[in-house]
Amino acid sequence: MNRRNTPDAVLMLLTRIREEQQFPQADVAEQTELSQAALSQLENGNRRLDIPTFLDLLDFYGVTPVEFFQRLEASTDATKS
């Protein structure tokens, strides 16, 4: 795994999961008690992602931390090829 790009990869994967599940930012924000602006800032890397928020988002998306990191590793391995 390319550790240098890991924060960007985490944010990109979170955004991809939201988009795959066809959740508008406004819906996710409402259900996770974030503002839509805060979620947008997170996804764009303009706001720090803390662990509780990360776990809340995963819970909302129905993705376990293990599943998330397996998928992250697979996506970063794929970009190396």
Side-chain angles (χ1 to χ4, degrees):
M1 180 182 293
N2 185 347
R3 303 253 184 249
R4 195 176 105 238
N5 295 326
T6 300
D8 290 340
V10 167
L11 298 175
M12 288 173 56
L13 182 54
L14 279 173
T15 303
R16 187 176 318 126
I17 291 169
R18 178 183 61 76
E19 292 171 345
E20 287 172 355
Q21 295 186 13
Q22 300 181 343
F23 287 124
Q25 281 183 340
D27 291 353
V28 175
E30 182 179 319
Q31 294 298 316
T32 59
E33 299 181 5
L34 289 170
S35 68
Q36 190 273 328
L39 181 59
S40 177
Q41 290 170 348
L42 281 172
E43 289 185 351
N44 290 312
N46 297 320
R47 182 178 173 137
R48 176 170 261 175
L49 176 64
D50 60 32
I51 299 294
T53 302
F54 173 70
L55 294 174
D56 286 347
L57 290 169
L58 290 184
D59 186 53
F60 179 77
Y61 299 143
V63 176
T64 68
V66 170
E67 292 167 335
F68 180 86
F69 286 108
Q70 287 173 338
R71 189 166 168 186
L72 179 65
E73 187 169 9
S75 70
T76 56
D77 286 346
T79 60
K80 287 181 189 178
S81 304

